[in-house]
Amino acid sequence: VPPAYRAEPMIRFMEQNIERGQFRLTEASFSGPYSRFLNLGDPDNLGMLSGKMEVKDFTLRLKTFDHPVEHLNGVLMLKPGELTFSGIRADYGKNRLKNITGDILNIHSEPLLRAVVDADLDLEDFQKELVENIGSPDLLAVFKPVRDFGGKIGFNFNLAVDLHRQLIKEFDGKISLHDIEFSHDYFYRPVKGLNGSLRVNRSNIYVQDVTWLTGSSVFNVNGRIEDY
């Protein structure tokens, strides 16, 4: 990166958080007078650049995340003041991020990532993340004794992340449960055939038509968990 551009917020973010990978800028264009093109060290002039950035096998580490985001591949479009992207793929721990779509605003000042993430979650990783982020001791006591997982979990979330401060500002989305089975210290028999969905935001978890079998008994739950 040329020294003149290293003060750029997105360049600083990349240097501090991207551990490895390759990228290529193509289809670059400049929408402004030639005199301003000669002075790209000025952020106002740099903001007139646009183009296509291909990223390959990036490893991105954020201090607020437990795992690095690895094998990140896809295409980002550079526009004046922002980056947009779609079809980005990556791995997060044992979780497969199948499609990430969104944008990064304010790339010349305080970058803000807005993304929709579609993923398949690893059950053990999901439980660990859940346990580490639950503030309620009572709810923690329910989730912590879960073990011996089977089944699939789908994840579709909207996220807003302040990249300058590395803080998750907003999240809201749906967790889909497909034929989950597990053992729990509270139950004498394993839970099987658990299906349904959870709607999650910063304040509440909405339980939507979750059903399961324990022995020959069938359970169905709808409701809300507040201030978790």
Side-chain angles (χ1 to χ4, degrees):
V1 176
Y5 304 148
R6 287 195 169 176
E8 275 288 301
M10 278 304 299
I11 297 298
R12 290 201 308 268
F13 171 80
M14 292 172 68
E15 288 186 327
Q16 293 168 4
N17 298 283
I18 294 175
E19 297 183 345
R20 62 179 62 88
Q22 302 174 5
F23 74 91
R24 183 176 67 161
L25 180 65
T26 61
E27 302 176 21
S29 64
F30 184 82
S31 301
Y34 178 68
S35 59
R36 299 185 70 174
F37 176 72
L38 295 176
N39 185 20
L40 289 179
D42 184 331
D44 290 337
N45 298 343
L46 190 62
M48 297 179 180
L49 272 177
S50 61
K52 179 171 138 181
M53 188 167 73
E54 301 172 11
V55 298
K56 182 178 179 181
D57 288 332
F58 265 28
T59 294
L60 172 66
R61 187 177 294 274
L62 298 173
K63 62 185 179 183
T64 51
F65 292 176
D66 290 336
H67 305 289
V69 179
E70 299 179 293
H71 311 301
L72 192 152
N73 292 276
V75 175
L76 297 88
M77 300 303 296
L78 173 64
K79 300 179 180 181
E82 67 180 68
L83 286 167
T84 63
F85 51 87
S86 62
I88 298 290
R89 304 172 307 282
D91 295 324
Y92 176 70
K94 298 177 183 177
N95 307 297
R96 178 61 178 158
L97 310 182
K98 299 186 297 184
N99 185 29
I100 308 172
T101 301
D103 53 29
I104 303 175
L105 304 178
N106 311 322
I107 62 174
H108 302 298
S109 53
E110 295 188 354
L112 175 68
L113 168 69
R114 304 184 305 178
V116 178
V117 181
D118 184 26
D120 290 329
L121 302 187
D122 176 80
L123 288 164
E124 292 184 1
D125 266 14
F126 175 69
Q127 187 216 18
K128 183 180 177 182
E129 292 272 350
L130 204 58
V131 166
E132 289 178 353
N133 289 282
I134 289 175
S136 164
D138 293 335
L139 189 59
L140 183 62
V142 172
F143 283 101
K144 201 167 184 179
V146 177
R147 50 188 166 77
D148 304 329
F149 289 106
K152 295 181 180 180
I153 294 183
F155 176 98
N156 188 274
F157 262 66
N158 296 285
L159 301 172
V161 182
D162 182 335
L163 296 180
H164 178 64
R165 298 175 180 84
Q166 296 196 27
L167 294 174
I168 298 175
K169 298 187 69 174
E170 298 293 338
F171 67 89
D172 173 47
K174 181 178 180 181
I175 298 170
S176 303
L177 310 169
H178 304 287
D179 291 324
I180 304 296
E181 57 182 56
F182 59 86
S183 298
H184 196 290
D185 293 347
Y186 288 3
F187 306 132
Y188 293 109
R189 296 181 178 181
V191 171
K192 295 186 176 181
L194 190 150
N195 291 279
S197 63
L198 307 173
R199 191 85 197 181
V200 181
N201 59 36
R202 293 184 73 90
S203 303
N204 300 293
I205 300 174
Y206 297 90
V207 182
Q208 300 174 328
D209 199 26
V210 173
T211 61
W212 72 89
L213 290 169
T214 301
S216 59
S217 301
V218 180
F219 296 84
N220 179 266
V221 174
N222 288 276
R224 180 175 65 178
I225 301 170
E226 298 181 343
D227 302 323
Y228 63 95

